[in-house]
Amino acid sequence: MLLALTAVCGFWSVSAIAADDWADITEPLPGEPRIIGHHGGACLVGAEQLPPEGDGYQAVDLGRNRHYGHPTLIDYIQRLGQRVDASGFGPMLVGDMAQPRGGPMPYGHVSHQSGLDVDIWFRLDLPPLERSEREGLEQPILVDPVTHRVDERWNKHHAMLIRLAADDQRVARIFVDSAVKRDLCEREWDDRSWLRRVRPWHSHDEHLHVRLRCPPGASECVDQPEPPPGEGCDTFAPTPRPEVYPSPGRSLPPACNAVLNP
């Protein structure tokens, strides 16, 4: 079992359901969309697969089979891609979402279990590529580890990508490195209310992580508490990558047993 390579404020503990079991499932469980649990311990019924490409976006690392989500997330990504395309930059690169039935992954994430999380790369310099060309692409880190500032490759399009991603009432949080948050706070914006949803977190120096709120009527879905009030632009403590990452959470609601083994 590999350790997680990326961690986002989740809950983790051990249960009888191994992460590899969920990764072995290649198809969603049909049915009315249903999220059971929270972002760090959940499963998913009725997931949809994101089309590999669309207006303003292209999905990367398709071989991982992690481009599934609740229909709300699919709609969010497609609408964001359209807004990116209309803004004249992109295409944006869509990384990991969730596995076909959610659940813990054997590597890469502590969260991404509920079908409401998506990673969007900061890399905006690529033209439309064939699907086979989107495997194993380089993911450059855009934060200087010494100055704890974004480096010279960072530009207004990166900032606008985050603005577009955050400017949607379905968004609960967007995680970025603290250097990225600092850059956003130092820019002039006509509306700054969306900055509250952008939160500093380690290991997000080459991508942003979007987490949506539980959809209306999803009674078994557990939301993360609201972020603190204000823009979050008061302090900018560095968010270096940890030396050791926690393993994915494996304590899932009992109802997830029937999702794994219907």
Side-chain angles (χ1 to χ4, degrees):
M1 181 77 62
L2 296 174
L3 293 179
L5 302 179
T6 302
V8 175
C9 51
F11 305 85
W12 42 82
S13 58
V14 177
S15 80
I17 300 177
D20 288 332
D21 294 333
W22 292 92
D24 291 340
I25 302 297
T26 60
E27 298 289 340
L29 182 65
E32 188 72 18
R34 180 182 172 201
I35 297 169
I36 307 169
H38 59 78
H39 57 274
C43 58
L44 182 62
V45 177
E48 293 183 4
Q49 186 174 22
L50 180 74
E53 53 276 320
D55 292 341
Y57 81 87
Q58 51 188 341
V60 297
D61 291 327
L62 296 168
R64 294 186 180 190
N65 201 34
R66 294 180 174 182
H67 288 92
Y68 293 85
H70 187 279
T72 298
L73 181 63
I74 304 298
D75 178 75
Y76 168 82
I77 295 170
Q78 292 177 323
R79 288 178 182 269
L80 176 58
Q82 292 167 1
R83 297 169 72 194
V84 167
D85 190 52
S87 296
F89 64 94
M92 66 180 188
L93 303 181
V94 179
D96 284 353
M97 296 165 57
Q99 297 173 143
R101 298 183 193 177
M105 299 178 182
Y107 66 92
H109 307 278
V110 166
S111 60
H112 286 257
Q113 296 194 32
S114 68
L116 295 175
D117 294 80
V118 58
D119 288 343
I120 298 173
W121 292 19
F122 288 143
R123 188 166 185 182
L124 296 172
D125 63 335
L126 294 175
L129 300 173
E130 296 295 330
R131 295 176 186 179
S132 61
E133 297 177 298
R134 297 182 226 152
E135 300 291 332
L137 291 172
E138 182 183 1
Q139 199 170 1
I141 292 174
L142 301 185
V143 173
D144 189 305
V146 176
T147 65
H148 300 293
R149 291 269 188 168
V150 292
D151 66 23
E152 67 280 357
R153 293 169 295 179
W154 185 265
N155 60 51
K156 64 181 181 180
H157 291 151
H158 297 107
M160 181 56 69
L161 173 63
I162 300 172
R163 162 74 185 268
L164 294 174
D167 198 13
D168 188 311
Q169 292 303 310
R170 295 174 292 183
V171 172
R173 277 173 172 73
I174 290 182
F175 299 102
V176 297
D177 189 272
S178 65
V180 173
K181 174 74 175 186
R182 180 196 292 270
D183 176 85
L184 298 174
C185 288
E186 291 176 347
R187 291 177 181 267
E188 295 291 330
W189 303 100
D190 56 346
D191 169 34
R192 299 177 64 86
S193 61
W194 56 274
L195 285 167
R196 180 188 180 199
R197 295 189 281 274
V198 181
R199 314 306 299 184
W201 198 256
H202 65 78
S203 307
H204 292 79
D205 43 18
E206 21 77 314
H207 74 280
L208 61 136
H209 174 165
V210 180
R211 175 171 298 148
L212 301 186
R213 293 184 171 89
C214 291
S219 60
E220 298 168 286
C221 178
V222 180
D223 260 325
Q224 190 171 354
E226 287 291 313
E231 297 178 359
C233 293
D234 299 328
T235 59
F236 303 99
T239 48
R241 293 181 172 228
E243 294 183 5
V244 178
Y245 288 92
S247 297
R250 298 176 196 165
S251 287
L252 277 63
C256 288
N257 290 321
V259 177
L260 181 63
N261 297 297

